[in-house]
Amino acid sequence: MKPPPFDHHAPRSLGEALDVLAEVGEHGKVLAGGQSLIPLMNMRLAAPAHLVDINRVGALDGIEAGPDGVRVGALARHAHLERSGPAAAVQPLLRRALRLVAHPVIRNRGTVVGSLAHADPAAELPAVLALLGGSVRLARRGGTREVAAGEFFTGPLEPALRPGELAVSAFFPALPPRAGTAFREVSRRHGDYALAGVAALVRLDGDLRVAEARAACVSAGPVPLVVDVTAVCGARPPEAAGWAEAARVVRERAEPETDIHATAEYRRHLTGVLAERALREAAKEALEAAAKESGGTP
């Protein structure tokens, strides 16, 4: 299958890329990794008149890990971030999620920011960004804006990108002290889109009681679903936090759809099972982190 005809633009600087995008407006699409866009074009599900190839804009290929979090440039590949030790140290959930993304050959080419801009609710990285309260930086000729994850995903395959804008980076906040994360999912085959998936974050207070607990669900609605279950399991030690009840809350909030791969009810059931497992694992990791920080044992 072949894509419909298009004009190819290959800017060599960010300014040039933004100029081209401003000129082509809604008729242009950005090409970075191309792992989602090219198949859509080949199947004639997308037909941009202009393809703005940013792969020569070297300034966008970077990963910066600092005390506050990890900023990932638009050309940073999945594999690059997956192998980044500094990024994993600042936010371990990134590596855990990336290992579940498709297959190595896809991760070698696909980009982190491109996955976010694709805004697929069945993908892992949108759920991670939403769970962590991250953001996406959008640039256009004349200015930039930072869009929080909760506002960036507006619908299935619908990011908050305006014509002429380019997603130049994404920011993933650092893991707080005495906190842990986990990511669990079920797919028919490794590398397939998940039938259901849950990323979890649990943070403990100084008395080693649950201070914060959240879960972000994959394939559970039109956008990544984030459920705060702190009210259900908070102010209690992890071993008595009631994770099954917290998982029930997550399951009831899920709004999956039936498709050729699974029924909505089965996806909802999986979401509950995975939520409990992920929350328990995150709580266990939080205890281990607290022990390491205090120099003792949990």
Side-chain angles (χ1 to χ4, degrees):
M1 300 177 72
K2 296 181 180 180
F6 60 86
D7 290 333
H8 180 261
H9 306 266
R12 295 184 175 274
S13 69
L14 177 58
E16 185 182 351
L18 297 180
D19 285 341
V20 174
L21 286 170
E23 293 169 5
V24 301
E26 63 183 12
H27 302 292
K29 283 286 187 180
V30 173
L31 174 67
Q35 301 306 291
S36 297
L37 178 60
I38 298 303
L40 288 175
M41 292 175 63
N42 286 342
M43 291 185 287
R44 303 297 177 107
L45 297 176
H50 300 268
L51 208 57
V52 184
D53 185 344
I54 63 171
N55 280 282
R56 295 166 181 79
V57 185
L60 297 178
D61 184 11
I63 297 173
E64 300 175 3
D68 58 339
V70 181
R71 184 164 291 278
V72 183
L75 284 180
R77 312 294 169 176
H78 291 118
H80 186 188
L81 182 58
E82 179 187 354
R83 293 193 294 263
S84 172
V90 171
Q91 183 45 262
L93 186 58
L94 288 171
R95 177 173 287 175
R96 290 182 177 133
L98 284 163
R99 286 174 173 170
L100 298 172
V101 174
H103 303 281
V105 66
I106 299 295
R107 299 199 294 272
N108 284 340
R109 187 63 188 170
T111 62
V112 173
V113 176
S115 177
L116 298 173
H118 188 52
D120 192 334
E124 291 84 1
L125 290 177
V128 171
L129 190 77
L131 175 71
L132 300 178
S135 61
V136 179
R137 181 171 295 171
L138 307 179
R140 63 183 304 130
R141 189 163 62 185
T144 63
R145 62 188 180 110
E146 198 84 16
V147 181
E151 300 174 356
F152 184 73
F153 304 109
T154 62
L157 308 184
E158 294 179 2
L161 276 161
R162 300 168 184 165
E165 284 188 323
L166 170 65
V168 293
S169 67
F171 180 74
F172 299 87
L175 188 67
R178 299 184 303 276
T181 61
F183 202 122
R184 298 296 296 264
E185 71 175 34
V186 170
S187 58
R188 291 188 177 275
R189 297 170 299 183
H190 177 71
D192 284 0
Y193 278 112
L195 298 177
V198 176
L201 184 148
V202 175
R203 180 176 61 84
L204 308 180
D205 61 20
D207 295 324
L208 300 186
R209 295 177 180 273
V210 176
E212 181 182 11
R214 300 196 308 274
C217 305
V218 171
S219 295
V223 297
L225 172 66
V226 180
V227 183
D228 190 328
V229 294
T230 309
V232 179
C233 54
R236 286 184 280 177
E239 61 272 16
W243 300 119
E245 176 63 15
R248 182 188 65 79
V249 173
V250 175
R251 183 178 66 249
E252 291 179 350
R253 287 281 307 278
E255 297 180 350
E257 293 185 352
T258 296
D259 59 21
I260 62 173
H261 303 293
T263 65
E265 188 55 36
Y266 181 59
R267 290 181 188 274
R268 188 176 293 109
H269 168 74
L270 280 180
T271 298
V273 172
L274 296 173
E276 182 174 355
R277 292 177 182 176
L279 286 165
R280 288 185 183 276
E281 290 178 14
K284 179 181 179 182
E285 185 178 88
L287 277 173
E288 295 171 351
K292 184 179 296 185
E293 291 167 16
S294 65
T297 57

